Amino acid sequence: MASLSRTCCVEGCSQDQFKNHYCIDCYRRQQNPIPHNHLSTAGRQVAAAQENMDTINQEFLDNPEFDCTQEQMDGYKIRFAEFDEDGSGDIDMLELGRAMERLGQPKNQLELRRMIAQVDSNNSGTIDYREFVQMMVGKSS
């Protein structure tokens, strides 16, 4: 028998379910948009990350150097949330390693460090959403 997920159904949220497959914070947002100060710490982090990703998506959509659609940007947002397992807003080496394994392309630590270094423009040692989207869309030719 398959086990049922007991975490929130919202992409990028890893809190426990509260009601209707949502955690308490996402359930509240679904019922009534509320200010972040009424959310838990984890809920505020998820909400802020979502807003940041939406802002970055719009910057790429508005920039004529990049040839991308809203659908592509929405897909990048979903994929990033899948890779960013802890919802921190960054993909670290461990998360990248697990993502590559899920994709059937396991990498060793050196390969993962090189992958991150290729796109880590702010030298944080992780891949943030802006760097992720930059890698995915590249420059238009």
Side-chain angles (χ1 to χ4, degrees), residues 52-86:
N52 183 50
M53 287 190 280
D54 290 338
T55 300
I56 291 169
N57 281 356
Q58 195 58 53
E59 289 172 12
F60 276 88
L61 288 168
D62 292 344
N63 189 333
E65 284 188 52
F66 301 102
D67 183 25
C68 49
T69 66
Q70 182 66 52
E71 293 77 26
Q72 287 172 314
M73 299 307 289
D74 291 343
Y76 298 149
K77 185 175 167 181
I78 290 167
R79 182 53 54 114
F80 185 83
E82 290 171 0
F83 290 0
D84 181 22
E85 296 170 352
D86 63 2

Short mmCIF file of all heavy atoms in Angstrom, two decimals, residues 52-86:
data_model
loop_
_atom_site.label_atom_id
_atom_site.label_comp_id
_atom_site.label_asym_id
_atom_site.label_seq_id
_atom_site.Cartn_x
_atom_site.Cartn_y
_atom_site.Cartn_z
N ASN A 52 9.69 36.60 -4.02
CA ASN A 52 10.98 36.85 -4.63
C ASN A 52 11.08 36.18 -6.00
O ASN A 52 11.54 36.78 -6.97
CB ASN A 52 12.10 36.36 -3.70
CG ASN A 52 13.47 36.66 -4.25
OD1 ASN A 52 13.76 37.79 -4.65
ND2 ASN A 52 14.32 35.66 -4.30
N MET A 53 10.61 34.93 -6.09
CA MET A 53 10.65 34.22 -7.37
C MET A 53 9.76 34.91 -8.39
O MET A 53 10.13 35.03 -9.57
CB MET A 53 10.26 32.76 -7.19
CG MET A 53 11.35 31.95 -6.50
SD MET A 53 11.06 30.17 -6.51
CE MET A 53 9.89 30.00 -5.19
N ASP A 54 8.59 35.38 -7.97
CA ASP A 54 7.69 36.08 -8.89
C ASP A 54 8.34 37.37 -9.41
O ASP A 54 8.24 37.69 -10.59
CB ASP A 54 6.36 36.41 -8.20
CG ASP A 54 5.51 35.18 -7.94
OD1 ASP A 54 5.72 34.14 -8.61
OD2 ASP A 54 4.63 35.26 -7.05
N THR A 55 9.02 38.09 -8.53
CA THR A 55 9.72 39.33 -8.92
C THR A 55 10.82 39.03 -9.94
O THR A 55 10.95 39.71 -10.97
CB THR A 55 10.31 40.02 -7.69
OG1 THR A 55 9.25 40.34 -6.79
CG2 THR A 55 11.07 41.28 -8.07
N ILE A 56 11.61 38.00 -9.66
CA ILE A 56 12.69 37.62 -10.58
C ILE A 56 12.13 37.17 -11.92
O ILE A 56 12.63 37.55 -12.98
CB ILE A 56 13.59 36.54 -9.93
CG1 ILE A 56 14.37 37.16 -8.76
CG2 ILE A 56 14.53 35.92 -10.96
CD1 ILE A 56 15.08 36.16 -7.88
N ASN A 57 11.05 36.37 -11.88
CA ASN A 57 10.41 35.94 -13.13
C ASN A 57 10.00 37.14 -13.97
O ASN A 57 10.23 37.17 -15.18
CB ASN A 57 9.19 35.07 -12.85
CG ASN A 57 9.55 33.65 -12.49
OD1 ASN A 57 10.72 33.26 -12.52
ND2 ASN A 57 8.55 32.87 -12.15
N GLN A 58 9.40 38.14 -13.34
CA GLN A 58 8.95 39.31 -14.08
C GLN A 58 10.13 40.07 -14.68
O GLN A 58 10.05 40.57 -15.81
CB GLN A 58 8.11 40.22 -13.19
CG GLN A 58 7.32 41.24 -13.96
CD GLN A 58 6.38 40.61 -14.98
OE1 GLN A 58 5.59 39.74 -14.65
NE2 GLN A 58 6.48 41.02 -16.23
N GLU A 59 11.24 40.16 -13.94
CA GLU A 59 12.43 40.83 -14.47
C GLU A 59 12.92 40.14 -15.74
O GLU A 59 13.29 40.80 -16.71
CB GLU A 59 13.55 40.83 -13.43
CG GLU A 59 13.28 41.75 -12.26
CD GLU A 59 14.31 41.59 -11.14
OE1 GLU A 59 15.36 40.94 -11.35
OE2 GLU A 59 14.06 42.14 -10.04
N PHE A 60 12.94 38.81 -15.76
CA PHE A 60 13.38 38.08 -16.94
C PHE A 60 12.38 38.23 -18.08
O PHE A 60 12.77 38.36 -19.24
CB PHE A 60 13.61 36.59 -16.62
CG PHE A 60 14.96 36.32 -16.03
CD1 PHE A 60 15.16 36.39 -14.66
CD2 PHE A 60 16.05 36.00 -16.84
CE1 PHE A 60 16.41 36.14 -14.10
CE2 PHE A 60 17.31 35.75 -16.30
CZ PHE A 60 17.49 35.83 -14.93
N LEU A 61 11.09 38.23 -17.76
CA LEU A 61 10.06 38.38 -18.81
C LEU A 61 10.12 39.77 -19.44
O LEU A 61 9.90 39.92 -20.64
CB LEU A 61 8.67 38.13 -18.23
CG LEU A 61 8.35 36.67 -17.89
CD1 LEU A 61 7.08 36.59 -17.06
CD2 LEU A 61 8.23 35.83 -19.15
N ASP A 62 10.43 40.78 -18.63
CA ASP A 62 10.49 42.16 -19.12
C ASP A 62 11.78 42.48 -19.86
O ASP A 62 11.85 43.48 -20.57
CB ASP A 62 10.34 43.14 -17.95
CG ASP A 62 8.95 43.11 -17.33
OD1 ASP A 62 8.01 42.58 -17.97
OD2 ASP A 62 8.80 43.62 -16.19
N ASN A 63 12.80 41.67 -19.72
CA ASN A 63 14.10 41.93 -20.32
C ASN A 63 14.15 41.34 -21.73
O ASN A 63 14.07 40.12 -21.90
CB ASN A 63 15.21 41.32 -19.45
CG ASN A 63 16.59 41.74 -19.90
OD1 ASN A 63 16.82 42.05 -21.06
ND2 ASN A 63 17.51 41.73 -18.97
N PRO A 64 14.31 42.19 -22.77
CA PRO A 64 14.33 41.69 -24.15
C PRO A 64 15.54 40.81 -24.48
O PRO A 64 15.54 40.12 -25.50
CB PRO A 64 14.32 42.96 -25.00
CG PRO A 64 14.80 44.04 -24.11
CD PRO A 64 14.46 43.64 -22.71
N GLU A 65 16.57 40.81 -23.61
CA GLU A 65 17.73 39.94 -23.84
C GLU A 65 17.37 38.47 -23.70
O GLU A 65 18.08 37.60 -24.19
CB GLU A 65 18.85 40.26 -22.83
CG GLU A 65 19.63 41.51 -23.13
CD GLU A 65 20.81 41.61 -22.18
OE1 GLU A 65 21.59 40.64 -22.09
OE2 GLU A 65 20.94 42.66 -21.54
N PHE A 66 16.30 38.19 -22.98
CA PHE A 66 15.91 36.82 -22.69
C PHE A 66 14.63 36.47 -23.44
O PHE A 66 13.68 37.23 -23.43
CB PHE A 66 15.73 36.61 -21.19
CG PHE A 66 16.97 36.92 -20.41
CD1 PHE A 66 17.09 38.12 -19.73
CD2 PHE A 66 18.02 36.03 -20.38
CE1 PHE A 66 18.24 38.42 -19.01
CE2 PHE A 66 19.18 36.32 -19.68
CZ PHE A 66 19.28 37.52 -18.99
N ASP A 67 14.66 35.32 -24.07
CA ASP A 67 13.50 34.84 -24.81
C ASP A 67 12.81 33.77 -23.98
O ASP A 67 13.20 32.60 -24.02
CB ASP A 67 13.97 34.28 -26.17
CG ASP A 67 12.82 33.82 -27.02
OD1 ASP A 67 11.71 34.34 -26.84
OD2 ASP A 67 13.03 32.94 -27.87
N CYS A 68 11.83 34.18 -23.18
CA CYS A 68 11.14 33.22 -22.33
C CYS A 68 9.66 33.59 -22.20
O CYS A 68 9.29 34.74 -22.40
CB CYS A 68 11.80 33.13 -20.94
SG CYS A 68 12.10 34.72 -20.16
N THR A 69 8.87 32.59 -21.88
CA THR A 69 7.43 32.79 -21.74
C THR A 69 7.03 32.65 -20.27
O THR A 69 7.80 32.12 -19.46
CB THR A 69 6.65 31.74 -22.55
OG1 THR A 69 6.90 30.45 -22.00
CG2 THR A 69 7.06 31.77 -24.02
N GLN A 70 5.83 33.10 -19.96
CA GLN A 70 5.31 32.96 -18.60
C GLN A 70 5.25 31.49 -18.21
O GLN A 70 5.56 31.13 -17.08
CB GLN A 70 3.93 33.60 -18.49
CG GLN A 70 3.35 33.55 -17.10
CD GLN A 70 4.15 34.39 -16.10
OE1 GLN A 70 4.40 35.57 -16.34
NE2 GLN A 70 4.54 33.81 -14.99
N GLU A 71 4.86 30.63 -19.15
CA GLU A 71 4.77 29.20 -18.86
C GLU A 71 6.13 28.62 -18.50
O GLU A 71 6.25 27.80 -17.58
CB GLU A 71 4.17 28.44 -20.05
CG GLU A 71 2.71 28.77 -20.32
CD GLU A 71 2.50 30.11 -21.02
OE1 GLU A 71 3.41 30.60 -21.74
OE2 GLU A 71 1.43 30.71 -20.82
N GLN A 72 7.16 29.03 -19.24
CA GLN A 72 8.52 28.56 -18.93
C GLN A 72 8.94 29.02 -17.54
O GLN A 72 9.48 28.24 -16.76
CB GLN A 72 9.52 29.09 -19.95
CG GLN A 72 9.44 28.44 -21.31
CD GLN A 72 10.33 29.15 -22.31
OE1 GLN A 72 10.34 30.38 -22.39
NE2 GLN A 72 11.08 28.37 -23.07
N MET A 73 8.67 30.28 -17.24
CA MET A 73 9.07 30.83 -15.94
C MET A 73 8.34 30.12 -14.81
O MET A 73 8.93 29.81 -13.77
CB MET A 73 8.82 32.34 -15.89
CG MET A 73 9.61 33.13 -16.93
SD MET A 73 11.39 32.82 -16.92
CE MET A 73 11.85 33.61 -15.40
N ASP A 74 7.06 29.82 -15.01
CA ASP A 74 6.31 29.08 -14.00
C ASP A 74 6.91 27.69 -13.80
O ASP A 74 6.99 27.19 -12.68
CB ASP A 74 4.83 28.97 -14.39
CG ASP A 74 4.10 30.30 -14.32
OD1 ASP A 74 4.61 31.25 -13.68
OD2 ASP A 74 3.02 30.41 -14.94
N GLY A 75 7.33 27.07 -14.90
CA GLY A 75 7.97 25.76 -14.82
C GLY A 75 9.29 25.81 -14.07
O GLY A 75 9.61 24.91 -13.28
N TYR A 76 10.08 26.87 -14.29
CA TYR A 76 11.35 27.02 -13.58
C TYR A 76 11.11 27.17 -12.08
O TYR A 76 11.84 26.64 -11.25
CB TYR A 76 12.15 28.23 -14.08
CG TYR A 76 12.54 28.15 -15.54
CD1 TYR A 76 12.66 29.30 -16.30
CD2 TYR A 76 12.78 26.93 -16.17
CE1 TYR A 76 13.03 29.24 -17.64
CE2 TYR A 76 13.15 26.87 -17.50
CZ TYR A 76 13.26 28.03 -18.24
OH TYR A 76 13.62 27.98 -19.55
N LYS A 77 10.07 27.92 -11.74
CA LYS A 77 9.73 28.14 -10.34
C LYS A 77 9.37 26.81 -9.66
O LYS A 77 9.84 26.53 -8.55
CB LYS A 77 8.55 29.12 -10.27
CG LYS A 77 8.15 29.55 -8.90
CD LYS A 77 7.06 30.61 -9.03
CE LYS A 77 6.39 30.88 -7.73
NZ LYS A 77 5.32 31.87 -7.84
N ILE A 78 8.59 26.00 -10.33
CA ILE A 78 8.21 24.69 -9.79
C ILE A 78 9.43 23.80 -9.64
O ILE A 78 9.64 23.16 -8.60
CB ILE A 78 7.13 24.04 -10.66
CG1 ILE A 78 5.81 24.80 -10.53
CG2 ILE A 78 6.94 22.57 -10.31
CD1 ILE A 78 4.77 24.43 -11.57
N ARG A 79 10.25 23.76 -10.68
CA ARG A 79 11.44 22.89 -10.64
C ARG A 79 12.40 23.34 -9.54
O ARG A 79 12.95 22.52 -8.82
CB ARG A 79 12.13 22.93 -12.01
CG ARG A 79 13.36 22.04 -12.14
CD ARG A 79 13.12 20.59 -11.75
NE ARG A 79 12.02 19.99 -12.45
CZ ARG A 79 12.10 19.01 -13.33
NH1 ARG A 79 13.27 18.50 -13.62
NH2 ARG A 79 11.03 18.53 -13.90
N PHE A 80 12.59 24.65 -9.41
CA PHE A 80 13.48 25.15 -8.35
C PHE A 80 12.96 24.74 -6.98
O PHE A 80 13.74 24.29 -6.13
CB PHE A 80 13.60 26.68 -8.42
CG PHE A 80 14.59 27.25 -7.44
CD1 PHE A 80 15.94 27.27 -7.74
CD2 PHE A 80 14.17 27.74 -6.21
CE1 PHE A 80 16.87 27.79 -6.82
CE2 PHE A 80 15.08 28.25 -5.30
CZ PHE A 80 16.43 28.27 -5.61
N ALA A 81 11.66 24.86 -6.77
CA ALA A 81 11.07 24.47 -5.48
C ALA A 81 11.27 22.99 -5.21
O ALA A 81 11.46 22.58 -4.06
CB ALA A 81 9.59 24.83 -5.46
N GLU A 82 11.25 22.17 -6.26
CA GLU A 82 11.50 20.73 -6.08
C GLU A 82 12.94 20.49 -5.64
O GLU A 82 13.20 19.62 -4.80
CB GLU A 82 11.24 19.98 -7.39
CG GLU A 82 9.79 19.91 -7.78
CD GLU A 82 9.58 19.36 -9.18
OE1 GLU A 82 10.57 19.02 -9.86
OE2 GLU A 82 8.41 19.25 -9.59
N PHE A 83 13.88 21.22 -6.21
CA PHE A 83 15.29 21.06 -5.87
C PHE A 83 15.61 21.64 -4.50
O PHE A 83 16.42 21.10 -3.76
CB PHE A 83 16.18 21.72 -6.91
CG PHE A 83 16.21 21.03 -8.25
CD1 PHE A 83 15.48 19.89 -8.52
CD2 PHE A 83 16.98 21.55 -9.27
CE1 PHE A 83 15.52 19.26 -9.76
CE2 PHE A 83 17.04 20.93 -10.52
CZ PHE A 83 16.31 19.79 -10.76
N ASP A 84 14.99 22.78 -4.16
CA ASP A 84 15.24 23.47 -2.89
C ASP A 84 14.39 22.81 -1.81
O ASP A 84 13.37 23.33 -1.38
CB ASP A 84 14.89 24.96 -3.03
CG ASP A 84 15.13 25.75 -1.77
OD1 ASP A 84 15.92 25.31 -0.92
OD2 ASP A 84 14.51 26.83 -1.64
N GLU A 85 14.85 21.67 -1.34
CA GLU A 85 14.06 20.83 -0.44
C GLU A 85 13.72 21.50 0.88
O GLU A 85 12.65 21.24 1.45
CB GLU A 85 14.81 19.52 -0.17
CG GLU A 85 15.00 18.68 -1.40
CD GLU A 85 15.94 17.51 -1.18
OE1 GLU A 85 16.58 17.42 -0.11
OE2 GLU A 85 16.04 16.68 -2.10
N ASP A 86 14.60 22.34 1.39
CA ASP A 86 14.34 22.96 2.69
C ASP A 86 13.66 24.33 2.59
O ASP A 86 13.38 24.96 3.59
CB ASP A 86 15.62 23.07 3.52
CG ASP A 86 16.68 23.96 2.89
OD1 ASP A 86 16.43 24.56 1.81
OD2 ASP A 86 17.78 24.06 3.46
#
